[in-house]
Amino acid sequence: MGRTLVYLGTFVIAFSALALEVTLVRLLSVVTWYHLAFFAISTAILGMTAGATRVYLQPQRFSGERLSGEVARSCLYFALVIPVSLITLCMLPLELYGSVMSIVALFVATIACSLPYYFSGTVITAVLTKYPLPIGKLYASDLLGGSLGCLFVLAGLELLDAPSLILLCSAGGMLGASCFARHGGQNRWIAISMSLVLFFVAAAVVNSLGTAGIRPLYVKGRFEPPHMIHKEDWNSFSHVVVYHQTKTLPQYWGPSPVAPADAVFQYPMNIDGAAGTTMKRFNNPGEIDHLKYDVTNVAYYLRSNGGACVIGVGAGRDVQSALLFGHERVTGIEVNPVFIKLINDDFREFVGIADREEVNLVVDEARSYLSRTDERFSIIQMSLIDTWAATGAGAFSLSENALYTTEAWEIIFDRLTDDGIFTVSRWHDPANIGETGRLLSLAVASLLQIGVDDPSKHIALVTTDRISTLLIRRSPFDPADLDALSSVCAELQYRIEQIPGTLPEDDQLREIAAAKTLEDLLVVSVGKDLNFEPPTDENPYFFNMVKLNRLGVMFSARPGVVRGNMIATLSLLALLAALLIVTLLTIVVPLMLRERFGVASETNVRTLWSGALYFSLIGAAFMFLEIALIQRLTIFLGHPVYALGILLFTLIASTGVGSLLSERLPLTRPPWLFVFPLATSLTILLLRYLLGFLISGLIAEPILVRIIVSILVIFPMGMLMGFFFPTGMRLASRVCSGETPWYWALNGILGVLCSALAVLFSIFVGISLNFYVAAVCYAVVIIALFALKRAGEGQVV
């Protein structure tokens, strides 16, 4: 029974800690910008590293009869500080204004995010390094708890909002406290702990019932009181807010100068506090007639019948546009189920499309759906698909990236009728062609990939002051289309940047449009401030156009995508620098302070640093591989939420199984000592190539099939990775048992440092580099493993 309580307590704390970490990322994506949301992971590891350092420097508090009591107390503190951290984050305006107060706010947020992990890190470190139980089983309890915690968040955010789910993590902390208190014989704690479990569960449920409870007061630095909100909905994809209905001027993306200005009924909406749109009333065509005057809909003047496909339904305006122009069949594809729920349920009569027989609304990822369907469309529309998740932080793996690659556009082209048009709209700045240039480059490359000799005959580009709309045909535009386009642009006063026979006036756009080979496109980017190379599945970062060697030039960029890229990239570099400093401190400070804290060490220098190298390398390799797999699976599974959830669950659970198996295998004896690291390296390299075949061959399969295939492919890899930590701990405990908490801290901090480094590699080099680096790390591990083995044999002798 005693052992079971330790395993159960470890499982519950790991479960709660990872659930908290993933939910904090979702909360911070709303409260602040996406490039800062990433620091939730960094601060979690920072807190856990501090907790591990505490165990290392205070071994007397975590030994003998005091051990379970100290661990239970840390579980209690973990549970109690979570609500404090949550309230702090919801009250702070986290916006970097370049002022002292904004820096103070960010510092307070860092403390708020780190504090719970200081206590959970103390618990996990003490369990893994101080309890005289099989390390394989302890580590498996930790990993299995973490894997299920990740799945819990994906399911929990369908039922609760992020703040309420965070409160529920406190209940897990209290449950862990009761397990360790019972193990330590401190029975008086048990009743209190279980009462607090019920309290936090009730608090989470009550808080989720409305907008008057604990929720963010500041969103992207902007005050948002509850009375402004008509309805809000959270899920693992986003936080969608619908504000109260208004009768105001129509909301346009790219209005014609002659667009009507009559007031219409609409609900303003916001996604994660940054991506705005409106839900328009549609009881009769006259209520949405103004949509004819938006440049995003210019292609409908050329194709007003047949089947239409809208990628990204959102609030429904593009589906309404297709109906307005007369399409007999309209398929709307939306990856976020919240929007389809709002259109089908809460605003069914207002939006007026759910009851139309010609409309089919699909909850799916567009690339996957179009790969499966046999239907062909006369027009496929993709207007401003971003949510600012990508434009604000092009550095990260986000849902829209998979739609802006040459491979994705080849699939879209294949779903067009012979004379069908694919129309894409993006933000445009005449003084900085940024997105327009990248979009045109992607169009040219995609046409070249399907065998088109002269892409300029297949492309038209129409702009207003702030929106560019690209029209693409698989076959060359015919004279009738060109006459119709010229006529409508003259009538609505749009600017034709490119049309077959006429190249753009802008020098950079003209170079891109005139390209006849992929090599020509790559040459265009040489020497330019921005990266105009066409994105691919290997490097799917359409929105990241900033070059590292041109960051200084970007400081003069106006607010928008390019400036957002610059801020995101600078934030990533600053994060890397900060993590590098923390890593160096984690290495040096504990060694400097151990004598002051009375931590005796008889470990020789060579053995000490062999252990440090070993645990640092396996932490780094794990994160390089994890980031690479998330980015690959995002394309295969259709969304980073699925990729993150399935990957973390599978990878951590399979690592836990590997840890259990390590108890039965002679991994510390040759030839196993050398075989399993080499086998892991080779498996990673095999996986890198296997995933490419899976994406191309199985992307059209239903999501359940793709999830099962992903699990089957990743599971063996995870089992091999599960051998490393317990094997290293067994060897280290024989020759340097006092250093094991420090090794655990190094493992964690190197992991988070390399997660940021892996993102940087993916953007500026390619995803595959992360696979290669992970394989090399696991191969080099053999050197440190052999040194630890020799040191252990020497001690025995």
Side-chain angles (χ1 to χ4, degrees):
M1 182 64 179
R3 291 187 173 194
T4 302
L5 288 171
V6 174
Y7 296 141
L8 179 60
T10 305
F11 174 89
V12 171
I13 290 299
F15 178 99
S16 303
L18 192 62
L20 175 64
E21 182 179 332
V22 177
T23 312
L24 273 179
V25 173
R26 177 91 293 276
L27 178 67
L28 287 170
S29 295
V30 176
V31 172
T32 186
W33 296 98
Y34 293 87
H35 46 267
L36 287 180
F38 188 75
F39 101 131
I41 300 171
S42 304
T43 52
I45 300 296
L46 176 65
M48 295 187 76
T49 300
T53 304
R54 178 195 173 199
V55 175
Y56 176 66
L57 294 177
Q58 297 180 332
Q60 69 281 359
R61 301 191 63 156
F62 296 93
S63 60
E65 296 180 356
R66 301 182 61 182
L67 177 57
S68 290
E70 286 293 333
V71 171
R73 193 172 294 110
S74 293
C75 292
L76 175 67
Y77 295 153
F78 168 73
L80 294 179
V81 300
I82 287 175
V84 177
S85 298
L86 171 63
I87 293 170
T88 302
L89 291 173
C90 287
M91 291 175 61
L92 284 175
L94 292 177
E95 181 79 350
L96 293 180
Y97 295 110
S99 67
V100 172
M101 292 309 297
S102 67
I103 295 173
V104 170
L106 186 60
F107 176 77
V108 173
T110 302
I111 299 299
C113 289
S114 302
L115 198 55
Y117 290 98
Y118 171 73
F119 295 111
S120 66
T122 299
V123 173
I124 298 300
T125 305
V127 167
L128 294 180
T129 62
K130 299 299 180 181
Y131 276 94
L133 296 174
I135 182 61
K137 294 181 179 180
L138 288 172
Y139 192 47
S141 301
D142 172 37
L143 294 172
L144 292 174
S147 65
L148 291 178
C150 183
L151 285 187
F152 170 74
V153 173
L154 299 185
L157 283 172
E158 299 298 325
L159 302 173
L160 301 173
D161 53 82
S164 300
L165 199 62
I166 288 174
L167 287 176
L168 206 55
C169 293
S170 286
M174 295 309 307
L175 188 60
S178 66
C179 290
F180 287 109
R182 177 73 179 273
H183 181 265
Q186 299 178 354
N187 295 328
R188 69 181 188 279
W189 282 35
I190 297 174
I192 298 174
S193 298
M194 295 308 297
S195 298
L196 287 173
V197 169
L198 297 176
F199 170 79
F200 283 120
V201 170
V205 173
V206 172
N207 191 71
S208 68
L209 298 178
T211 60
I214 301 174
R215 64 174 306 279
L217 282 179
Y218 290 91
V219 176
K220 304 291 191 290
R222 187 186 69 255
F223 184 58
E224 188 177 85
H227 67 80
M228 293 174 56
I229 298 172
H230 177 76
K231 182 177 179 58
E232 72 173 343
D233 216 329
W234 292 77
N235 66 0
S236 53
F237 293 81
S238 63
H239 171 231
V240 177
V241 173
V242 182
Y243 300 103
H244 297 299
Q245 181 179 310
T246 61
K247 186 177 183 181
T248 53
L249 296 178
Q251 183 255 342
Y252 294 100
W253 296 125
S256 161
V258 298
D262 300 326
V264 297
F265 289 101
Q266 49 196 6
Y267 282 96
M269 297 178 65
N270 214 302
I271 301 95
D272 280 357
T277 186
T278 59
M279 199 179 292
K280 299 176 182 295
R281 191 171 76 175
F282 177 33
N283 292 330
N284 60 75
E287 290 186 312
I288 59 170
D289 191 67
H290 61 275
L291 292 176
K292 293 180 178 179
Y293 298 86
D294 198 307
V295 74
T296 59
N297 293 325
V298 68
Y300 286 113
Y301 286 95
L302 279 64
R303 297 290 180 275
S304 58
N305 52 32
C309 176
V310 172
I311 297 176
V313 173
R317 60 173 285 151
D318 289 344
V319 174
Q320 292 173 336
S321 298
L323 294 170
L324 177 67
F325 278 88
H327 282 272
E328 298 88 3
R329 293 177 292 107
V330 182
T331 298
I333 310 170
E334 175 57 56
V335 72
N336 191 338
V338 166
F339 290 111
I340 303 301
K341 176 178 176 291
L342 292 173
I343 291 171
N344 283 340
D345 299 335
D346 303 89
F347 300 92
R348 190 181 188 91
E349 294 184 6
F350 186 85
V351 179
I353 61 176
D355 292 320
R356 303 287 292 256
E357 292 183 358
E358 62 267 50
V359 174
N360 177 32
L361 300 179
V362 179
V363 179
D364 203 345
E365 193 275 326
R367 183 169 169 176
S368 172
Y369 177 83
L370 292 173
S371 298
R372 297 196 311 271
T373 185
D374 294 327
E375 189 174 4
R376 293 181 178 272
F377 305 94
S378 64
I379 190 167
I380 298 178
Q381 183 180 23
M382 190 167 78
S383 298
L384 299 164
I385 302 300
D386 56 45
T387 77
W388 279 95
T391 49
F396 304 110
S397 180
L398 298 152
S399 59
E400 298 85 2
N401 288 341
L403 292 175
Y404 293 96
T405 68
T406 55
E407 292 87 348
W409 282 27
E410 288 178 45
I411 292 170
I412 293 172
F413 290 165
D414 196 46
R415 299 272 63 83
L416 290 171
T417 57
D418 291 340
D419 65 345
I421 295 175
F422 176 38
T423 174
V424 189
S425 298
R426 289 300 319 155
W427 300 107
H428 176 67
D429 181 354
N432 188 335
I433 65 163
E435 279 193 76
T436 302
R438 196 82 187 268
L439 193 68
L440 184 59
S441 175
L442 175 56
V444 171
S446 300
L447 288 167
L448 289 170
Q449 293 278 50
I450 63 171
V452 171
D453 295 327
D454 186 357
S456 65
K457 295 179 180 179
H458 300 247
I459 295 173
L461 180 62
V462 180
T463 65
T464 60
D465 287 343
R466 64 174 189 165
I467 297 291
S468 63
T469 295
L470 193 68
L471 289 76
I472 312 167
R473 279 187 53 167
R474 295 168 61 192
S475 56
F477 276 95
D478 54 46
D481 278 344
L482 299 182
D483 290 343
L485 184 62
S486 298
S487 175
V488 72
C489 287
E491 180 183 347
L492 299 180
Q493 300 178 28
Y494 299 145
R495 177 180 174 84
I496 297 179
E497 294 285 349
Q498 177 184 346
I499 200 168
T502 304
L503 293 177
E505 293 180 5
D506 182 272
D507 291 340
Q508 294 179 95
L509 288 178
R510 186 166 59 252
E511 287 184 68
I512 295 169
K516 297 295 191 295
T517 66
L518 292 175
E519 289 72 22
D520 291 343
L521 281 176
L522 298 179
V523 170
V524 172
S525 267
V526 177
K528 302 294 192 302
D529 292 337
L530 297 176
N531 178 16
F532 294 116
E533 293 181 12
T536 64
D537 284 351
E538 169 64 20
N539 198 313
Y541 301 101
F542 171 86
F543 296 97
N544 194 78
M545 290 169 279
V546 173
K547 296 179 178 179
L548 278 179
N549 61 348
R550 298 280 179 154
L551 270 178
V553 180
M554 297 297 103
F555 280 100
S556 59
R558 293 191 288 183
V561 174
V562 174
R563 188 171 181 82
N565 288 172
M566 180 200 71
I567 294 172
T569 304
L570 287 174
S571 298
L572 184 61
L573 292 173
L575 178 63
L576 267 171
L579 289 172
L580 183 59
I581 293 171
V582 172
T583 301
L584 293 174
L585 292 175
T586 304
I587 295 171
V588 174
V589 172
L591 298 180
M592 293 175 59
L593 294 180
R594 61 182 180 177
E595 290 186 9
R596 180 178 299 180
F597 281 83
V599 181
S601 177
E602 298 179 358
T603 307
N604 66 62
V605 173
R606 183 174 180 178
T607 303
L608 176 73
W609 291 107
S610 295
L613 177 64
Y614 177 83
F615 287 98
S616 297
L617 282 173
I618 64 173
F622 189 95
M623 291 309 300
F624 276 117
L625 182 60
E626 181 181 304
I627 296 298
L629 287 173
I630 287 174
Q631 291 162 331
R632 279 284 189 236
L633 291 180
T634 293
I635 294 170
F636 186 52
L637 298 179
H639 197 278
V641 172
Y642 293 145
L644 180 66
I646 299 304
L647 174 68
L648 286 183
F649 168 74
T650 306
L651 199 57
I652 299 175
S654 59
T655 304
V657 173
S659 179
L660 283 174
L661 286 176
S662 73
E663 292 287 336
R664 300 176 177 271
L665 297 174
L667 298 177
T668 58
R669 297 203 303 265
W672 290 85
L673 193 69
F674 313 110
V675 170
F676 81 88
L678 286 176
T680 305
S681 294
L682 293 174
T683 305
I684 291 172
L685 296 177
L686 176 64
L687 191 62
R688 177 257 179 269
Y689 292 100
L690 180 61
L691 285 174
F693 290 111
L694 289 178
I695 292 171
S696 60
L698 298 176
I699 196 169
E701 297 299 323
I703 183 64
L704 181 60
V705 173
R706 284 177 282 144
I707 288 174
I708 292 172
V709 169
S710 300
I711 292 173
L712 292 176
V713 169
I714 296 169
F715 207 91
M717 178 76 259
M719 288 177 61
L720 285 171
M721 294 165 68
F723 292 161
F724 286 88
F725 183 80
T727 301
M729 288 293 286
R730 291 187 193 100
L731 291 173
S733 62
R734 297 174 188 172
V735 293
C736 48
S737 59
E739 313 298 339
T740 52
W742 180 57
Y743 290 158
W744 175 247
L746 289 179
N747 179 266
I749 198 64
L750 259 295
V752 73
L753 172 66
C754 291
S755 68
L757 193 59
V759 171
L760 196 70
F761 286 171
S762 297
I763 304 165
F764 296 105
V765 181
I767 295 172
S768 293
L769 179 60
N770 292 321
F771 285 100
Y772 300 139
V773 173
V776 169
C777 286
Y778 279 123
V780 174
V781 152
I782 295 176
I783 299 172
L785 203 56
F786 182 69
L788 284 174
K789 173 68 174 175
R790 290 290 299 273
E793 291 173 346
Q795 185 173 15
V796 171
V797 173

